[in-house]
Amino acid sequence: MFYVFSNPQAIAEHVSELLIAQIQKKNDSVLGLATGSTMEPVYEKLCEQVARLNVDVSGLTTFNLDEYIGLGSDHPQSYRYYMRQHLFNRLAFAQHRTFLPDGLCADPVKQCEQYSGQIQQAGHIDVQLLGIGNNGHIGFNEPGTSFGSRTHVVPLTEQTRIDNSRFFDSLDEVPTKAITLGLQDIMESKQIILIATGTNKAQIMAELYESPVTEQLPASVVKSHPNAMILLDEQAAQFLPAEWRDTLES
């Protein structure tokens, strides 16, 4: 389940190859997508390989993990904007099948119900990409979130807002709430790929490896999935004890 790679670029190449194999096997695959700096090398490599191999992505459906409440799709820090910049506008996706929550919706609670329903109607997610927060959150599911949660509105913790403030001009501009895919929605995916890179993820990855499956560390639920991969670069794996590292594959 745990795999260590030399650097983020090696992870990106591996994940891109997995995604292309999935698309070639099932050209109407449903992909669960994530945002953030961890995913940028993955999307860059995927764009390169899709172009080089002439892979048809027009039949894909995508669902993103989350979106800030209060940001419209044209806001530079919205996740819709991120996805357009890094993926959707670079490949021939059918835009009407690229789904993210609407940060300006009138009724966020109702939209959460609809979003989970859309994923179920699509036959669930074939491959879900995940990053991990420094406290073990996935999506915006913070410690203590029920493993049975569906897509929901979440108040962002102060630490999460501080972590994300580097993308904004100031902490005051960081939204205080978001819509996030629930942990049950995530776990119903047919395959999960969790990626962690960099020294700032080293401590949480050591905790994740050692931790039991507990709601106090949301990402630990991935360890109970029958088809999950947790991919680390050398920096993110640096605090794993030697006896653990010997069990890892690279």
Side-chain angles (χ1 to χ4, degrees):
M1 175 178 287
F2 284 76
Y3 302 84
V4 178
F5 292 78
S6 57
N7 54 52
Q9 290 69 36
I11 292 177
E13 183 163 357
H14 182 71
V15 174
S16 177
E17 290 171 356
L18 291 176
L19 291 174
I20 287 176
Q22 172 67 35
I23 296 166
Q24 290 175 331
K25 178 178 70 175
K26 183 185 177 189
N27 62 8
D28 61 349
S29 290
V30 180
L31 303 183
L33 303 179
T35 56
S37 55
T38 301
M39 295 298 156
E40 290 179 17
V42 174
Y43 296 146
E44 182 67 32
K45 182 59 67 174
L46 181 62
C47 288
E48 291 176 8
Q49 293 189 349
V50 164
R52 179 170 58 84
L53 298 173
N54 196 28
V55 177
D56 181 9
V57 301
S58 64
L60 299 178
T61 298
T62 68
F63 289 93
N64 263 73
L65 278 172
D66 36 40
E67 181 59 280
Y68 289 117
I69 291 178
L71 299 189
S73 61
D74 291 331
H75 190 288
Q77 299 307 328
S78 75
Y79 291 145
R80 168 66 77 173
Y81 189 96
Y82 172 104
M83 293 307 303
R84 287 200 300 258
Q85 292 295 306
H86 292 287
L87 194 62
F88 294 159
N89 286 356
R90 300 182 60 186
L91 298 176
F93 282 87
Q95 298 297 323
H96 66 283
R97 288 202 296 272
T98 59
F99 295 97
L100 287 90
D102 179 2
L104 298 180
C105 64
D107 189 342
V109 173
K110 182 177 181 181
Q111 184 178 174
C112 288
E113 296 173 355
Q114 293 174 338
Y115 202 70
S116 285
Q118 287 174 315
I119 293 172
Q120 294 171 52
Q121 290 168 11
H124 298 291
I125 292 167
D126 289 302
V127 181
Q128 175 68 61
L129 299 181
L130 295 175
I132 182 171
N134 291 333
N135 64 355
H137 72 245
I138 49 177
F140 281 124
N141 294 290
E142 299 288 348
T145 302
S146 168
F147 285 159
S149 62
R150 293 291 185 184
T151 302
H152 57 284
V153 175
V154 59
L156 302 181
T157 67
E158 189 68 9
Q159 187 58 55
T160 294
R161 295 182 68 240
I162 291 170
D163 290 344
N164 289 356
S165 65
R166 67 187 187 277
F167 301 115
F168 294 80
D169 290 335
S170 71
L171 180 60
D172 290 340
E173 293 185 9
V174 182
T176 59
K177 294 182 180 180
I179 293 173
T180 192
L181 203 63
L183 292 173
Q184 185 169 342
D185 293 312
I186 291 170
M187 287 296 287
E188 287 174 350
S189 304
K190 296 163 190 174
Q191 181 179 18
I192 294 176
I193 302 173
L194 188 153
I195 304 170
T197 59
T199 57
N200 65 320
K201 297 298 173 67
Q203 183 59 47
I204 191 60
M205 294 313 294
E207 292 175 20
L208 177 62
Y209 194 96
E210 186 177 22
S211 171
V213 176
T214 170
E215 291 178 351
Q216 296 310 307
L217 204 169
S220 68
V221 72
V222 172
K223 299 200 294 185
S224 66
H225 193 281
N227 188 20
M229 304 174 67
I230 299 174
L231 312 183
L232 306 81
D233 70 354
E234 287 285 353
Q235 290 185 336
Q238 65 182 287
F239 293 153
L240 297 183
E243 62 269 24
W244 291 354
R245 288 181 62 92
D246 289 343
T247 71
L248 303 183
E249 300 179 43
S250 58

